[in-house]
Each structure stands twice: as C-alpha cells, then as structure tokens.
Amino acid sequence: MSKPVRGTTKVLGIIGYPVRHSLSPLMQNAAIQGCGLDYIYVPFEVTPDNVGAAITGLKSLGVSGFNVTIPHKTAVMPYLDGLDDSAVASGAVNTVKNDGGRLIGYNTDGDGLVKSLADDLDFIPRSNSIVVVGAGGAARGAIAALCRAGAKQIVIANRSYDRAADLASAMSARFTGTEVSVSTGYADLLVRLPHIDLVINTTSLGMNSESIPFLPLHTLPCTAMVYDMIYSPSATPLLSEAAGMGLKAANGLGMLASQGELAFTIWTGEIPPSGLMRSALDAGL
Ligand code: NAP
C-alpha cells in the first residue's frame, strides 16, 4: 500500500523532453513504497529553452532531488550549485540532490553500468580489455566508471573519429591507470577484437533493428561478453548476433535499474529492497 500524500511528503522527480516514456516514476515509486518512505516521485516535462527556469523553480519549491534525462544531462550543469566527481568525470548529470538548499549534480549512469555488468554478466572491469562503441554522453559516463573500476584497456569505436579522439584524450588525462585508445574502424577492430573481453554498445544503433556496421563481432574470442545499453527492444541485432555465437550477453535494463537504485540512495540514504526496481521495470515493459 502506498502512503497517502500529506503535508510532510517530500517530492522527487525527473526532468526530460519528452519524459512521458520514462520508466523512472514506476521504479522509483515502487522503491519508495518498498521502503515505506514519505516521498513521491513525479515526471516534469521541461522543454530545452526552460531548463534554467525549471531548475530555479525546483529549488524554490524545495524538491528533495530529481533525475535528469535526455536532452538535459549536460544543459543542467551550469545551473547547479556543485558537482560530484562522478558528474565532473562524465561531463553529465543524471541525478540532482537538494542538499540543504544547494543543488548538487551526480552521475549514476556509469556506476549503474558497472553494477549491471557484475549482476547480469558476472563481469568485473578490473584488468580487462573493453571496446566501447560510441562517444556520446552515455559512453563518457561508462568509460569514466570503467576506468575507476580498474579496466586495463578501453578502445573507443565511434562513427565520428574526432569525437572519439577527444573523449579518449580527456579520459587518458584523467585516468592514468587505464590505456584509452581510438579505433580507426572495421579493419582495425578485426585485429583488436580477438584480444577483447567485453564489447559495450552505448549508441542508439539497434533501437530500430540496425546492426553496427563497423563491428566484426565474429572475431571476438568465445570467452568475450557483449552488453547493449539499449533495453527496448530487449534483443537488438547486436545481442542476437552475440547469442548466436554463444557469447554471454545482456541488455541495458539492469543498468537502468542500478542507476535508479544509486540515485534513490543519494536522495534518501536508503538502499531499496534487492531486485525491486528491476521487477517494477520488467512489469512496466
Ligand atoms: P548521444 O550523446 O546522442 O550519443 C549518441 C552516440 O551514438 C554517438 O556516439 C553517435 O555517434 C552514435 N550514433 C548515433 N546514431 C548513429 C548511427 N546512425 N550510426 C553510428 N553511430 C551513431 O546519446 P547518449 O546519451 O550517449 O545515449 C546513447 C544510447 O544510450 C541511447 O540509446 C540511450 O537510450 C542509451 N542509454 C541507456 C541507459 C540505460 O540506463 N540503459 C542510460 C543512458 C543511455 P557520432 O558521434 O558519430 O554522432
């Protein structure tokens, strides 16, 4: 039974545009209920030209915290009062906590990915070699977290080489314990993939049944694993091909649940019951 909304109820939410597709209200309210807390989590559809006004409004209204989703993850940063290291390293914010009137930005996407890799693939980044496909916001957060988790080597494979090169040099400067390099394309990956432990797709390729044209998956060793951040559809062409090769593979639903769990703990100090958010997502999908 959810608690009735009262004068004491604290407000959490999510800003994005559009936001109506978001599954976060479903899983966050399930966790609030599961922990018996006096909170409510609501969606706020905020157009790009209203981001600054929305942040000022949320602060004035005293909301306890909120998630930030596409396309505002970078745009919110100048309006916040402080940034956690996770947000600085990934150059994006997906979680904001109201800390006594100061809005502090965090990024839980990367650590959510690392947790999902452990839960869903039994994969630990430490001392492993990883190909990250893509060089956008999701790739940035992922690479920062994989470096923090001790990955030996990360190869960025992206459609636009220059964007990947910029990301590789930013990450190399920040995380000296991981070798971060850029792939020049299909022929280069033919040589590299036989030595790779994990491939992660961070692009939107696969949402509409597209395969990744520059990825010769068949050259991966049979011990390699594949992770796709996309969770809808649940099986992209990449995941189907990996499964066809007998490789261990997982979609991004676990990452969505884990980043949400980490955000929930930042706001409330509570750890949601194990598997509750994931079950809420499964039911919602
Ligand atoms: P983004 O910043 O716009 O980056 C998009 C990336 O995809 C870029 O590397 C881009 O390459 C590449 N790309 C897009 N269309 C392409 C195409 N037709 N061919 C080749 N490459 C293409 O987006 P993002 O924020 O990183 O998000 C990317 C994906 O991650 C989305 O599908 C999102 O849903 C998913 N995601 C999932 C979770 C989760 O919890 N599971 C969390 C965050 C994000 P260029 O640089 O060449 O443009």
Side-chain angles (χ1 to χ4, degrees), residues 115 137 158 166 218 228 269:
K115 175 144 192 319
N158 192 46
D166 287 348
H218 62 277
D228 200 329

Side-chain angles (χ1 to χ4, degrees), residues 70 73 109 133-140 157-161 163-164 201-205 207 210-214 227-231 251-257 259:
I70 291 171
K73 287 185 181 183
D109 279 336
V133 181
R140 187 173 276 270
N158 192 46
R159 174 177 62 181
S160 313
Y161 179 87
R163 195 175 184 193
N201 177 35
T202 74
T203 74
S204 47
L205 282 174
M207 286 180 106
E210 316 94 321
S211 49
I212 302 171
F214 49 84
Y227 192 91
D228 200 329
M229 281 195 189
I230 295 170
Y231 51 84
N251 70 22
L253 201 63
M255 175 179 172
L256 183 65
Q259 63 77 28

Side-chain angles (χ1 to χ4, degrees), residues 86 107-116 141 145 148 258-259 262:
S86 58
N107 194 307
T108 66
D109 279 336
D111 287 342
L113 166 70
V114 170
K115 175 144 192 319
S116 175
R148 279 198 302 274
S258 295
Q259 63 77 28
L262 293 167

